[in-house]
Amino acid sequence: MGNWNYGVFWDELMNQAKNELGEHEFAMWFNIQYDSSTETSISIRVPSSFYKDQIVRQYQKYLEDKLFDLMGKRISIDFIVVKPNPDEARPAQELAREDAREASEDKPKIALLPRGKSDSPIKRDKHPQLRVDYTFENFVIGDNNGFASNAALAISKNPGTSYNPFLIYGGVGLGKTHLMQSIGNRVWIESPKMKVICITAEEFTNEFIQSIHDKTTQGFKNKYRYVDVLLIDDIHFLQNKLGSQEELFHTFNALYDANKQMVFTCDRPVSELKNLSDRLRSRFERGLNVDLQPPNFETRCAILKKKVEAGRIQVPAEVLEIIAKNISTNVRDLEAALTKLVAYAELVHKNITLEIAQNQLKDVFSQSKHGNVTIDNILRVVADYYKLSYNDLKGKKRTKNIAMPRQIAMYIARDITEYSTTELGFEFGGRDHTTVMHACQKIEERLKLDPNLESTIQALVRSIKDYSSKA
Ligand code: ADP
Ligand code: MG
Protein backbone atom coordinates (compact mmCIF):
# COMPACT_ATOMS: atom_id res chain seq x y z
CA MET A 1 0.00 0.00 0.00
CA GLY A 2 1.54 3.23 -1.09
CA ASN A 3 0.81 6.64 0.20
CA TRP A 4 -1.06 8.35 -2.55
CA ASN A 5 -1.70 12.02 -2.81
CA TYR A 6 -3.18 13.39 -5.98
CA GLY A 7 -3.99 16.74 -4.46
CA VAL A 8 -1.80 18.72 -6.87
CA PHE A 9 -3.53 17.20 -9.84
CA TRP A 10 -6.83 18.04 -8.30
CA ASP A 11 -5.79 21.66 -7.82
CA GLU A 12 -4.70 21.90 -11.41
CA LEU A 13 -7.94 20.29 -12.52
CA MET A 14 -9.92 22.88 -10.59
CA ASN A 15 -7.93 25.67 -12.20
CA GLN A 16 -8.70 24.37 -15.64
CA ALA A 17 -12.34 23.77 -14.87
CA LYS A 18 -12.67 27.30 -13.64
CA ASN A 19 -11.24 28.65 -16.88
CA GLU A 20 -13.38 26.48 -19.05
CA LEU A 21 -16.67 26.74 -17.27
CA GLY A 22 -16.41 30.36 -16.22
CA GLU A 23 -16.50 31.89 -12.75
CA HIS A 24 -20.24 31.71 -12.41
CA GLU A 25 -20.75 28.08 -13.09
CA PHE A 26 -17.63 27.17 -11.24
CA ALA A 27 -18.65 29.04 -8.12
CA MET A 28 -22.01 27.37 -8.18
CA TRP A 29 -20.93 23.78 -8.59
CA PHE A 30 -17.40 23.47 -7.32
CA ASN A 31 -17.83 24.24 -3.70
CA ILE A 32 -15.97 21.00 -3.03
CA GLN A 33 -12.75 19.94 -1.30
CA TYR A 34 -10.10 17.41 -1.97
CA ASP A 35 -10.14 14.78 0.76
CA SER A 36 -7.83 11.85 0.05
CA SER A 37 -6.51 9.51 -2.64
CA THR A 38 -5.91 5.84 -3.26
CA GLU A 39 -3.93 4.46 -6.16
CA THR A 40 -6.96 4.53 -8.43
CA SER A 41 -9.31 7.04 -6.94
CA ILE A 42 -9.68 10.45 -5.44
CA SER A 43 -12.21 11.30 -2.75
CA ILE A 44 -13.81 14.69 -2.83
CA ARG A 45 -15.96 16.21 -0.16
CA VAL A 46 -19.26 17.72 -1.15
CA PRO A 47 -21.61 19.55 1.20
CA SER A 48 -24.84 17.61 0.62
CA SER A 49 -26.31 14.64 -1.15
CA PHE A 50 -28.20 16.98 -3.42
CA TYR A 51 -24.93 18.53 -4.44
CA LYS A 52 -23.47 15.12 -4.95
CA ASP A 53 -26.27 14.04 -7.28
CA GLN A 54 -25.86 17.15 -9.36
CA ILE A 55 -22.14 17.00 -9.63
CA VAL A 56 -22.10 13.31 -10.46
CA ARG A 57 -24.67 13.81 -13.13
CA GLN A 58 -23.27 16.86 -14.71
CA TYR A 59 -19.57 16.84 -14.13
CA GLN A 60 -18.22 13.48 -13.07
CA LYS A 61 -17.39 12.33 -16.56
CA TYR A 62 -16.05 15.71 -17.48
CA LEU A 63 -13.78 15.79 -14.44
CA GLU A 64 -12.58 12.23 -14.86
CA ASP A 65 -11.76 12.77 -18.51
CA LYS A 66 -9.81 15.88 -17.69
CA LEU A 67 -8.01 14.08 -14.94
CA PHE A 68 -7.07 11.43 -17.43
CA ASP A 69 -5.58 14.10 -19.70
CA LEU A 70 -3.62 15.50 -16.79
CA MET A 71 -2.37 12.28 -15.25
CA GLY A 72 -2.25 9.91 -18.18
CA LYS A 73 -4.16 7.26 -16.29
CA ARG A 74 -7.73 6.61 -15.30
CA ILE A 75 -8.56 7.74 -11.81
CA SER A 76 -12.11 7.62 -10.54
CA ILE A 77 -13.59 10.35 -8.42
CA ASP A 78 -15.69 9.49 -5.38
CA PHE A 79 -17.82 12.20 -3.93
CA ILE A 80 -18.43 11.88 -0.23
CA VAL A 81 -21.00 13.93 1.57
CA VAL A 82 -19.53 15.83 4.48
CA LYS A 83 -21.97 18.32 5.90
CA PRO A 84 -20.34 21.60 6.83
CA ASN A 85 -22.07 21.88 10.20
CA PRO A 86 -23.56 18.57 11.11
CA ASP A 87 -26.59 19.54 13.13
CA GLU A 88 -29.00 16.90 14.36
CA ALA A 89 -29.61 14.20 11.82
CA ARG A 90 -32.20 15.10 9.24
CA PRO A 91 -33.38 13.01 6.33
CA ALA A 92 -31.18 13.48 3.31
CA GLN A 93 -34.16 14.37 1.15
CA GLU A 94 -35.11 17.23 3.35
CA LEU A 95 -31.61 18.61 3.17
CA ALA A 96 -31.61 18.20 -0.55
CA ARG A 97 -34.85 20.08 -0.83
CA GLU A 98 -33.44 22.83 1.28
CA ASP A 99 -30.38 23.03 -0.88
CA ALA A 100 -32.49 23.20 -3.96
CA ARG A 101 -34.58 25.99 -2.53
CA GLU A 102 -31.54 27.89 -1.46
CA ALA A 103 -29.90 27.47 -4.80
CA SER A 104 -32.93 28.70 -6.66
CA GLU A 105 -33.47 31.70 -4.44
CA ASP A 106 -30.07 33.06 -3.66
CA LYS A 107 -27.81 31.97 -6.41
CA PRO A 108 -27.63 33.89 -9.65
CA LYS A 109 -29.96 32.65 -12.29
CA ILE A 110 -27.68 30.65 -14.47
CA ALA A 111 -30.46 30.14 -16.96
CA LEU A 112 -30.21 33.79 -17.87
CA LEU A 113 -26.50 33.80 -18.42
CA PRO A 114 -25.33 34.66 -21.90
CA ARG A 115 -24.90 31.95 -24.47
CA GLY A 116 -22.19 29.50 -23.87
CA LYS A 117 -22.55 29.23 -20.14
CA SER A 118 -24.01 26.08 -18.77
CA ASP A 119 -27.69 25.87 -18.00
CA SER A 120 -28.85 25.65 -14.44
CA PRO A 121 -30.36 22.33 -13.53
CA ILE A 122 -32.56 23.98 -10.95
CA LYS A 123 -34.07 27.23 -12.03
CA ARG A 124 -35.75 26.88 -15.37
CA ASP A 125 -37.46 30.10 -16.29
CA LYS A 126 -36.54 30.34 -19.87
CA HIS A 127 -33.89 28.62 -21.85
CA PRO A 128 -31.48 31.27 -23.14
CA GLN A 129 -31.40 29.89 -26.66
CA LEU A 130 -34.96 28.67 -27.14
CA ARG A 131 -37.89 30.77 -28.24
CA VAL A 132 -40.68 30.47 -25.70
CA ASP A 133 -43.34 30.34 -28.39
CA TYR A 134 -41.74 27.46 -30.29
CA THR A 135 -43.59 24.77 -28.40
CA PHE A 136 -45.64 21.73 -29.27
CA GLU A 137 -48.66 23.56 -27.91
CA ASN A 138 -48.27 26.19 -30.61
CA PHE A 139 -47.49 23.76 -33.39
CA VAL A 140 -50.34 22.59 -35.56
CA ILE A 141 -50.05 18.97 -36.52
CA GLY A 142 -51.26 18.57 -40.07
CA ASP A 143 -51.00 16.44 -43.15
CA ASN A 144 -47.56 17.78 -43.90
CA ASN A 145 -45.85 17.14 -40.59
CA GLY A 146 -47.71 14.36 -38.80
CA PHE A 147 -44.92 11.85 -38.82
CA ALA A 148 -42.26 14.40 -37.93
CA SER A 149 -44.36 15.81 -35.09
CA ASN A 150 -45.03 12.43 -33.55
CA ALA A 151 -41.39 11.47 -33.75
CA ALA A 152 -40.48 14.79 -32.14
CA LEU A 153 -42.95 14.18 -29.32
CA ALA A 154 -41.59 10.69 -28.73
CA ILE A 155 -38.06 12.01 -28.63
CA SER A 156 -38.89 14.69 -26.11
CA LYS A 157 -40.34 12.02 -23.82
CA ASN A 158 -37.24 9.85 -23.95
CA PRO A 159 -34.31 11.77 -25.37
CA GLY A 160 -31.42 9.72 -26.64
CA THR A 161 -33.16 6.38 -26.63
CA SER A 162 -34.54 6.06 -30.12
CA TYR A 163 -34.32 8.11 -33.30
CA ASN A 164 -30.83 9.38 -32.73
CA PRO A 165 -30.02 11.62 -34.43
CA PHE A 166 -33.32 13.08 -35.51
CA LEU A 167 -33.00 15.17 -38.64
CA ILE A 168 -35.78 17.36 -39.99
CA TYR A 169 -35.42 18.66 -43.52
CA GLY A 170 -37.51 20.73 -45.88
CA GLY A 171 -37.81 24.11 -47.55
CA VAL A 172 -37.91 27.46 -45.83
CA GLY A 173 -40.74 28.40 -43.55
CA LEU A 174 -42.16 24.94 -43.09
CA GLY A 175 -41.61 24.69 -39.34
CA LYS A 176 -38.23 22.96 -38.97
CA THR A 177 -36.89 25.37 -36.39
CA HIS A 178 -40.19 25.49 -34.54
CA LEU A 179 -40.43 21.73 -34.30
CA MET A 180 -36.82 21.29 -33.23
CA GLN A 181 -37.11 23.92 -30.52
CA SER A 182 -40.35 22.34 -29.31
CA ILE A 183 -38.31 19.29 -28.40
CA GLY A 184 -35.85 21.50 -26.56
CA ASN A 185 -38.55 23.38 -24.69
CA ARG A 186 -40.37 20.22 -23.67
CA VAL A 187 -37.23 18.55 -22.35
CA TRP A 188 -36.16 21.74 -20.67
CA ILE A 189 -39.38 21.94 -18.73
CA GLU A 190 -40.08 18.30 -18.05
CA SER A 191 -36.57 17.07 -17.31
CA PRO A 192 -34.97 19.73 -15.18
CA LYS A 193 -31.71 17.88 -14.88
CA MET A 194 -31.03 17.74 -18.55
CA LYS A 195 -28.63 20.07 -20.28
CA VAL A 196 -30.03 21.41 -23.51
CA ILE A 197 -28.08 23.39 -26.07
CA CYS A 198 -29.67 24.91 -29.15
CA ILE A 199 -27.63 26.72 -31.76
CA THR A 200 -27.43 27.23 -35.48
CA ALA A 201 -24.71 25.52 -37.47
CA GLU A 202 -23.44 28.98 -38.23
CA GLU A 203 -23.07 29.83 -34.55
CA PHE A 204 -21.39 26.50 -33.98
CA THR A 205 -18.91 27.31 -36.75
CA ASN A 206 -18.22 30.82 -35.53
CA GLU A 207 -17.75 29.69 -31.99
CA PHE A 208 -15.41 26.96 -33.10
CA ILE A 209 -13.30 29.38 -35.11
CA GLN A 210 -13.24 31.81 -32.21
CA SER A 211 -12.11 29.06 -29.85
CA ILE A 212 -9.19 28.27 -32.13
CA HIS A 213 -8.28 31.90 -32.14
CA ASP A 214 -8.55 32.15 -28.35
CA LYS A 215 -6.87 28.78 -27.82
CA THR A 216 -9.87 27.50 -25.92
CA THR A 217 -10.81 24.59 -28.14
CA GLN A 218 -10.81 22.22 -25.19
CA GLY A 219 -13.48 24.28 -23.50
CA PHE A 220 -15.42 24.38 -26.72
CA LYS A 221 -15.26 20.63 -27.08
CA ASN A 222 -16.32 20.04 -23.52
CA LYS A 223 -19.23 22.38 -23.81
CA TYR A 224 -20.76 20.40 -26.65
CA ARG A 225 -19.78 16.96 -25.52
CA TYR A 226 -21.43 17.10 -22.13
CA VAL A 227 -25.02 17.87 -23.01
CA ASP A 228 -28.10 15.70 -22.91
CA VAL A 229 -29.83 17.27 -25.86
CA LEU A 230 -27.99 19.07 -28.64
CA LEU A 231 -30.08 20.92 -31.21
CA ILE A 232 -28.32 22.27 -34.28
CA ASP A 233 -30.31 24.29 -36.80
CA ASP A 234 -29.59 24.63 -40.51
CA ILE A 235 -26.74 22.22 -40.95
CA HIS A 236 -26.58 22.99 -44.67
CA PHE A 237 -24.45 25.88 -43.51
CA LEU A 238 -21.66 23.37 -42.87
CA GLN A 239 -21.15 22.74 -46.58
CA ASN A 240 -17.53 23.63 -47.39
CA LYS A 241 -16.69 24.20 -43.73
CA LEU A 242 -14.33 21.30 -43.33
CA GLY A 243 -12.91 22.23 -39.94
CA SER A 244 -16.33 22.60 -38.39
CA GLN A 245 -17.48 19.37 -39.99
CA GLU A 246 -14.57 17.58 -38.42
CA GLU A 247 -15.35 19.06 -35.03
CA LEU A 248 -19.01 18.19 -35.29
CA PHE A 249 -18.10 14.67 -36.33
CA HIS A 250 -16.25 14.13 -33.07
CA THR A 251 -18.96 15.80 -31.04
CA PHE A 252 -21.46 13.55 -32.75
CA ASN A 253 -19.55 10.42 -31.87
CA ALA A 254 -19.12 11.40 -28.25
CA LEU A 255 -22.81 12.17 -27.83
CA TYR A 256 -23.94 9.16 -29.81
CA ASP A 257 -21.86 6.80 -27.72
CA ALA A 258 -23.23 8.35 -24.56
CA ASN A 259 -26.84 8.01 -25.81
CA LYS A 260 -27.37 11.73 -25.84
CA GLN A 261 -30.02 13.10 -28.15
CA MET A 262 -29.11 15.10 -31.23
CA VAL A 263 -31.54 16.94 -33.48
CA PHE A 264 -30.58 18.66 -36.71
CA THR A 265 -32.43 20.62 -39.33
CA CYS A 266 -31.46 21.05 -42.94
CA ASP A 267 -33.00 22.79 -45.93
CA ARG A 268 -32.64 19.73 -48.15
CA PRO A 269 -32.12 15.99 -47.89
CA VAL A 270 -28.69 15.17 -46.54
CA SER A 271 -27.89 13.32 -49.75
CA GLU A 272 -28.08 16.61 -51.62
CA LEU A 273 -25.61 18.47 -49.46
CA LYS A 274 -22.40 19.30 -51.23
CA ASN A 275 -18.88 19.35 -49.89
CA LEU A 276 -19.74 17.42 -46.81
CA SER A 277 -17.42 14.70 -45.59
CA ASP A 278 -18.78 11.22 -46.20
CA ARG A 279 -18.38 10.19 -42.61
CA LEU A 280 -20.39 13.12 -41.31
CA ARG A 281 -23.03 12.56 -43.97
CA SER A 282 -23.40 8.98 -42.88
CA ARG A 283 -23.77 10.09 -39.26
CA PHE A 284 -26.53 12.51 -40.17
CA GLU A 285 -28.32 9.77 -42.04
CA ARG A 286 -27.95 7.26 -39.29
CA GLY A 287 -31.03 7.96 -37.16
CA LEU A 288 -34.35 9.18 -38.42
CA ASN A 289 -34.57 11.67 -41.30
CA VAL A 290 -38.00 13.15 -41.91
CA ASP A 291 -39.17 15.87 -44.23
CA LEU A 292 -41.70 18.63 -43.80
CA GLN A 293 -43.94 19.41 -46.76
CA PRO A 294 -45.95 22.53 -47.46
CA PRO A 295 -49.26 22.28 -45.59
CA ASN A 296 -52.53 21.63 -47.42
CA PHE A 297 -55.50 23.98 -47.30
CA GLU A 298 -57.06 22.57 -44.12
CA THR A 299 -53.77 22.69 -42.27
CA ARG A 300 -53.14 26.22 -43.46
CA CYS A 301 -56.55 27.27 -42.10
CA ALA A 302 -55.82 25.55 -38.79
CA ILE A 303 -52.46 27.30 -38.51
CA LEU A 304 -53.97 30.71 -39.20
CA LYS A 305 -56.70 30.05 -36.68
CA LYS A 306 -54.17 29.16 -34.05
CA LYS A 307 -52.15 32.31 -34.71
CA VAL A 308 -55.25 34.44 -34.46
CA GLU A 309 -56.27 32.86 -31.18
CA ALA A 310 -52.80 33.18 -29.74
CA GLY A 311 -52.64 36.85 -30.67
CA ARG A 312 -56.22 37.47 -29.51
CA ILE A 313 -57.00 39.21 -32.77
CA GLN A 314 -60.38 39.40 -34.44
CA VAL A 315 -60.25 38.09 -37.97
CA PRO A 316 -63.37 36.72 -39.69
CA ALA A 317 -63.19 33.09 -40.77
CA GLU A 318 -63.76 33.98 -44.42
CA VAL A 319 -60.69 36.20 -44.36
CA LEU A 320 -58.57 33.41 -42.94
CA GLU A 321 -59.88 31.23 -45.70
CA ILE A 322 -58.91 33.48 -48.56
CA ILE A 323 -55.45 33.85 -47.10
CA ALA A 324 -55.14 30.09 -46.78
CA LYS A 325 -56.45 29.62 -50.29
CA ASN A 326 -54.07 32.09 -51.88
CA ILE A 327 -50.88 31.35 -50.02
CA SER A 328 -49.76 27.82 -50.37
CA THR A 329 -46.01 28.21 -50.31
CA ASN A 330 -45.12 27.90 -46.66
CA VAL A 331 -46.13 28.82 -43.14
CA ARG A 332 -43.84 31.78 -42.91
CA ASP A 333 -45.51 33.46 -45.89
CA LEU A 334 -48.88 32.62 -44.41
CA GLU A 335 -47.98 34.30 -41.16
CA ALA A 336 -46.48 37.27 -42.95
CA ALA A 337 -49.74 37.88 -44.84
CA LEU A 338 -51.76 37.73 -41.65
CA THR A 339 -49.38 40.07 -39.88
CA LYS A 340 -49.49 42.54 -42.72
CA LEU A 341 -53.25 42.59 -42.67
CA VAL A 342 -53.52 42.97 -38.91
CA ALA A 343 -50.95 45.76 -38.91
CA TYR A 344 -52.88 47.61 -41.56
CA ALA A 345 -56.19 47.27 -39.74
CA GLU A 346 -54.64 48.54 -36.53
CA LEU A 347 -53.09 51.47 -38.31
CA VAL A 348 -56.33 52.67 -39.85
CA HIS A 349 -58.50 51.60 -36.90
CA LYS A 350 -60.75 49.40 -38.97
CA ASN A 351 -62.09 45.93 -38.51
CA ILE A 352 -60.70 43.43 -40.93
CA THR A 353 -63.18 42.63 -43.67
CA LEU A 354 -62.97 40.46 -46.74
CA GLU A 355 -62.71 43.54 -48.90
CA ILE A 356 -59.86 45.04 -46.91
CA ALA A 357 -58.07 41.73 -47.00
CA GLN A 358 -58.40 41.36 -50.72
CA ASN A 359 -57.17 44.87 -51.31
CA GLN A 360 -54.31 44.82 -48.90
CA LEU A 361 -53.04 41.42 -49.85
CA LYS A 362 -53.44 41.76 -53.62
CA ASP A 363 -49.72 41.87 -54.23
CA VAL A 364 -48.94 39.12 -51.80
CA PHE A 365 -51.48 36.86 -53.43
CA SER A 366 -50.27 37.50 -56.95
CA GLN A 367 -46.71 36.90 -55.90
CA SER A 368 -47.63 33.64 -54.35
CA LYS A 369 -48.93 32.53 -57.70
CA HIS A 370 -45.49 32.92 -59.21
CA GLY A 371 -44.50 29.67 -57.71
CA ASN A 372 -42.48 29.69 -54.56
CA VAL A 373 -39.74 31.97 -55.76
CA THR A 374 -38.88 33.93 -52.68
CA ILE A 375 -35.92 36.17 -52.06
CA ASP A 376 -34.76 33.62 -49.55
CA ASN A 377 -34.65 30.97 -52.22
CA ILE A 378 -32.75 33.25 -54.56
CA LEU A 379 -30.24 34.07 -51.84
CA ARG A 380 -29.79 30.44 -50.97
CA VAL A 381 -29.22 29.23 -54.49
CA VAL A 382 -26.90 32.07 -55.44
CA ALA A 383 -24.94 31.74 -52.21
CA ASP A 384 -24.61 28.05 -52.76
CA TYR A 385 -23.37 28.47 -56.28
CA TYR A 386 -20.66 30.91 -55.22
CA LYS A 387 -19.81 28.88 -52.12
CA LEU A 388 -20.89 31.67 -49.83
CA SER A 389 -23.42 31.62 -47.03
CA TYR A 390 -26.89 33.02 -47.14
CA ASN A 391 -25.82 35.50 -44.48
CA ASP A 392 -22.81 36.58 -46.49
CA LEU A 393 -25.17 37.77 -49.20
CA LYS A 394 -27.60 39.38 -46.81
CA GLY A 395 -24.87 40.86 -44.66
CA LYS A 396 -22.91 44.07 -44.83
CA LYS A 397 -19.55 42.89 -46.09
CA ARG A 398 -18.53 44.40 -49.39
CA THR A 399 -15.52 42.38 -50.35
CA LYS A 400 -15.35 41.64 -54.01
CA ASN A 401 -16.08 37.93 -53.78
CA ILE A 402 -19.34 38.75 -52.00
CA ALA A 403 -20.35 41.97 -53.71
CA MET A 404 -20.62 40.49 -57.20
CA PRO A 405 -22.75 37.47 -56.26
CA ARG A 406 -24.96 39.78 -54.22
CA GLN A 407 -25.46 42.02 -57.23
CA ILE A 408 -26.30 39.00 -59.33
CA ALA A 409 -28.85 37.88 -56.74
CA MET A 410 -30.44 41.34 -56.81
CA TYR A 411 -30.47 41.36 -60.58
CA ILE A 412 -32.17 37.98 -60.71
CA ALA A 413 -34.65 38.95 -58.01
CA ARG A 414 -35.56 42.06 -59.96
CA ASP A 415 -35.99 39.97 -63.04
CA ILE A 416 -38.07 37.06 -61.83
CA THR A 417 -40.10 38.43 -58.92
CA GLU A 418 -42.61 41.24 -58.63
CA TYR A 419 -40.78 42.98 -55.84
CA SER A 420 -40.12 46.70 -56.17
CA THR A 421 -36.56 47.92 -55.71
CA THR A 422 -37.54 49.32 -52.32
CA GLU A 423 -38.89 45.96 -51.19
CA LEU A 424 -35.84 44.24 -52.58
CA GLY A 425 -33.53 46.56 -50.70
CA PHE A 426 -35.38 45.66 -47.56
CA GLU A 427 -35.18 41.93 -48.26
CA PHE A 428 -31.47 42.15 -48.99
CA GLY A 429 -30.52 43.01 -45.46
CA GLY A 430 -32.16 46.44 -45.18
CA ARG A 431 -30.48 48.23 -48.06
CA ASP A 432 -31.58 51.30 -49.92
CA HIS A 433 -33.46 50.95 -53.21
CA THR A 434 -30.68 52.82 -55.02
CA THR A 435 -28.31 50.01 -54.07
CA VAL A 436 -30.57 47.58 -55.88
CA MET A 437 -30.78 49.81 -58.93
CA HIS A 438 -27.06 50.23 -58.95
CA ALA A 439 -26.56 46.47 -58.71
CA CYS A 440 -28.86 45.83 -61.67
CA GLN A 441 -27.04 48.43 -63.73
CA LYS A 442 -23.69 46.93 -62.89
CA ILE A 443 -24.78 43.47 -63.95
CA GLU A 444 -26.28 44.78 -67.19
CA GLU A 445 -22.94 46.36 -68.01
CA ARG A 446 -21.09 43.19 -67.20
CA LEU A 447 -23.44 41.16 -69.32
CA LYS A 448 -22.31 43.15 -72.32
CA LEU A 449 -18.66 42.42 -71.61
CA ASP A 450 -18.76 38.89 -70.30
CA PRO A 451 -20.43 36.34 -72.56
CA ASN A 452 -20.34 33.64 -69.89
CA LEU A 453 -22.30 35.62 -67.38
CA GLU A 454 -25.49 35.30 -69.34
CA SER A 455 -25.48 31.52 -69.22
CA THR A 456 -24.44 31.54 -65.57
CA ILE A 457 -27.44 33.67 -64.75
CA GLN A 458 -29.75 31.49 -66.80
CA ALA A 459 -28.50 28.41 -65.00
CA LEU A 460 -29.01 30.13 -61.67
CA VAL A 461 -32.57 31.08 -62.56
CA ARG A 462 -33.29 27.49 -63.52
CA SER A 463 -31.88 26.24 -60.21
CA ILE A 464 -33.87 28.82 -58.30
CA LYS A 465 -37.12 27.79 -59.96
CA ASP A 466 -36.30 24.18 -59.48
CA TYR A 467 -35.38 24.66 -55.85
CA SER A 468 -38.48 26.77 -55.24
CA SER A 469 -40.85 24.26 -56.75
CA LYS A 470 -39.55 21.71 -54.28
CA ALA A 471 -39.69 24.02 -51.29
P1 ADP B 1 -38.14 26.78 -41.01
O1 ADP B 1 -37.17 26.62 -39.89
O2 ADP B 1 -38.54 25.48 -41.63
O3 ADP B 1 -37.69 27.77 -42.03
P2 ADP B 1 -39.80 27.93 -38.98
O4 ADP B 1 -39.76 26.86 -37.96
O5 ADP B 1 -38.99 29.13 -38.75
O6 ADP B 1 -39.49 27.34 -40.42
O7 ADP B 1 -41.33 28.33 -39.19
C1 ADP B 1 -41.71 29.53 -39.82
C2 ADP B 1 -42.88 30.11 -39.08
O8 ADP B 1 -44.03 29.29 -39.29
C3 ADP B 1 -42.67 30.17 -37.60
O9 ADP B 1 -43.22 31.37 -37.11
C4 ADP B 1 -43.44 28.99 -37.06
O10 ADP B 1 -43.94 29.24 -35.76
C5 ADP B 1 -44.56 28.84 -38.05
N1 ADP B 1 -44.99 27.45 -38.24
C6 ADP B 1 -44.45 26.54 -39.07
N2 ADP B 1 -45.11 25.38 -39.02
C7 ADP B 1 -46.10 25.55 -38.12
C8 ADP B 1 -47.16 24.70 -37.62
N3 ADP B 1 -47.31 23.44 -38.05
N4 ADP B 1 -47.99 25.23 -36.70
C9 ADP B 1 -47.85 26.49 -36.28
N5 ADP B 1 -46.91 27.34 -36.71
C10 ADP B 1 -46.03 26.89 -37.63
MG1 MG C 1 -35.34 27.53 -39.59
Side-chain angles (χ1 to χ4, degrees):
M1 285 278 297
N3 200 359
W4 307 98
N5 186 345
Y6 296 142
V8 284
F9 289 108
W10 180 258
D11 290 344
E12 176 55 24
L13 174 60
M14 287 297 99
N15 274 335
Q16 294 190 4
K18 191 175 194 166
N19 280 336
E20 282 176 10
L21 302 169
E23 298 271 344
H24 241 113
E25 184 171 351
F26 186 82
M28 179 140 178
W29 291 111
F30 291 81
N31 176 15
I32 54 183
Q33 268 95 42
Y34 173 83
D35 183 86
S36 55
S37 320
T38 69
E39 183 176 4
T40 56
S41 71
I42 292 184
S43 292
I44 299 299
R45 292 190 228 179
V46 296
S48 71
S49 46
F50 170 78
Y51 224 101
K52 177 175 167 175
D53 287 348
Q54 294 299 326
I55 204 160
V56 165
R57 222 197 125 76
Q58 293 201 74
Y59 300 108
Q60 180 150 23
K61 183 166 185 317
Y62 165 73
L63 293 172
E64 285 179 354
D65 285 355
K66 284 191 74 67
L67 209 50
F68 179 67
D69 287 344
L70 279 171
M71 300 176 65
K73 60 176 180 172
R74 282 262 156 217
I75 299 289
S76 65
I77 302 174
D78 298 327
F79 295 99
I80 49 175
V81 179
V82 179
K83 298 197 181 92
N85 49 349
D87 37 8
E88 59 292 2
R90 276 192 289 162
Q93 280 193 341
E94 194 182 319
L95 283 169
R97 234 175 293 128
E98 215 165 75
D99 282 357
R101 205 175 319 124
E102 185 195 315
S104 68
E105 281 166 5
D106 302 344
K107 299 274 160 52
K109 286 187 202 164
I110 301 271
L112 297 180
L113 284 177
R115 273 153 200 253
K117 292 288 182 279
S118 170
D119 319 312
S120 162
I122 302 161
K123 181 104 183 174
R124 299 223 144 174
D125 300 344
K126 180 201 168 297
H127 188 286
Q129 298 152 341
L130 295 172
R131 275 184 58 157
V132 279
D133 54 335
Y134 281 179
T135 58
F136 285 120
E137 287 74 16
N138 291 338
F139 195 78
V140 173
I141 299 185
D143 63 305
N144 61 321
N145 60 28
F147 183 54
S149 311
N150 284 320
L153 274 164
I155 286 165
S156 62
K157 273 201 197 103
N158 289 306
T161 49
S162 45
Y163 309 138
N164 202 18
F166 179 47
L167 187 142
I168 309 163
Y169 67 91
V172 286
L174 295 178
K176 300 183 296 293
T177 301
H178 188 142
L179 194 56
M180 181 178 81
Q181 293 209 8
S182 299
I183 298 175
N185 271 314
R186 180 61 64 86
V187 172
W188 177 250
I189 289 176
E190 307 244 307
S191 311
K193 287 187 174 168
M194 288 205 170
K195 267 180 103 146
V196 178
I197 289 188
C198 175
I199 43 155
T200 62
E202 181 170 11
E203 287 165 341
F204 183 87
T205 300
N206 291 341
E207 216 181 290
F208 176 59
I209 293 169
Q210 188 67 38
S211 80
I212 294 173
H213 180 260
D214 299 344
K215 302 198 170 57
T216 53
T217 46
Q218 196 56 41
F220 175 86
K221 287 181 207 302
N222 289 333
K223 176 176 164 194
Y224 290 103
R225 292 181 198 176
Y226 296 93
V227 295
D228 296 289
V229 178
L230 178 62
L231 313 172
I232 303 189
D233 210 357
D234 295 332
I235 56 157
H236 45 268
F237 181 82
L238 294 172
Q239 291 175 109
N240 300 314
K241 315 274 187 315
L242 295 180
S244 303
Q245 288 178 24
E246 167 91 10
E247 186 54 34
L248 183 57
F249 173 75
H250 294 296
T251 304
F252 184 108
N253 291 341
L255 292 176
Y256 189 83
D257 290 343
N259 289 323
K260 302 301 186 188
Q261 183 68 48
M262 288 167 277
V263 183
F264 303 107
T265 74
C266 188
D267 70 354
R268 61 200 87 170
V270 172
S271 59
E272 287 176 21
L273 290 172
K274 288 178 214 118
N275 299 314
L276 183 75
S277 75
D278 288 342
R279 55 189 197 162
L280 188 56
R281 189 191 307 275
S282 80
R283 294 304 185 285
F284 284 146
E285 286 175 335
R286 187 179 276 179
L288 180 65
N289 288 200
V290 294
D291 69 326
L292 295 181
Q293 293 290 329
N296 69 12
F297 175 69
E298 280 77 24
T299 308
R300 298 201 293 277
C301 286
I303 291 173
L304 285 173
K305 211 164 151 227
K306 184 140 219 161
K307 304 276 168 198
V308 166
E309 283 163 11
R312 300 209 191 85
I313 335 160
Q314 298 285 335
V315 185
E318 52 184 8
V319 170
L320 296 185
E321 257 175 50
I322 64 149
I323 298 178
K325 198 172 280 167
N326 281 283
I327 298 181
S328 55
T329 46
N330 66 55
V331 184
R332 188 170 298 155
D333 291 350
L334 207 57
E335 273 184 0
L338 181 65
T339 307
K340 181 173 177 188
L341 189 58
V342 171
Y344 172 80
E346 271 174 8
L347 196 70
V348 299
H349 297 293
K350 279 188 185 156
N351 288 331
I352 297 172
T353 62
L354 195 56
E355 201 190 340
I356 289 182
Q358 261 157 347
N359 261 324
Q360 286 307 310
L361 298 177
K362 211 165 39 206
D363 296 347
V364 181
F365 290 169
S366 82
Q367 228 159 63
S368 189
K369 291 207 178 66
H370 288 86
N372 300 354
V373 175
T374 60
I375 305 302
D376 267 3
N377 289 354
I378 295 174
L379 285 167
R380 265 175 230 285
V381 173
V382 174
D384 216 33
Y385 180 83
Y386 286 101
K387 302 207 178 350
L388 297 167
S389 76
Y390 168 86
N391 286 332
D392 283 337
L393 286 191
K394 252 194 144 153
K396 298 270 173 261
K397 264 192 235 145
R398 281 200 263 166
T399 44
K400 208 164 170 208
N401 68 323
I402 297 178
M404 224 270 280
R406 187 184 287 137
Q407 288 172 347
I408 289 180
M410 287 178 180
Y411 176 85
I412 291 176
R414 185 89 181 97
D415 196 28
I416 66 172
T417 72
E418 311 285 323
Y419 282 85
S420 67
T421 47
T422 307
E423 288 167 321
L424 282 179
F426 179 76
E427 294 286 331
F428 277 82
R431 293 182 153 79
D432 193 77
H433 76 108
T434 52
T435 310
V436 180
M437 285 162 53
H438 175 73
C440 295
Q441 241 169 31
K442 264 262 176 328
I443 298 302
E444 266 155 18
E445 281 164 21
R446 281 188 91 104
L447 277 168
K448 289 187 198 131
L449 301 171
D450 179 359
N452 292 328
L453 187 58
E454 172 104 54
S455 59
T456 304
I457 289 180
Q458 278 169 3
L460 279 168
V461 169
R462 268 197 309 278
S463 305
I464 290 163
K465 291 195 168 152
D466 185 44
Y467 179 68
S468 303
S469 68
K470 284 191 205 136

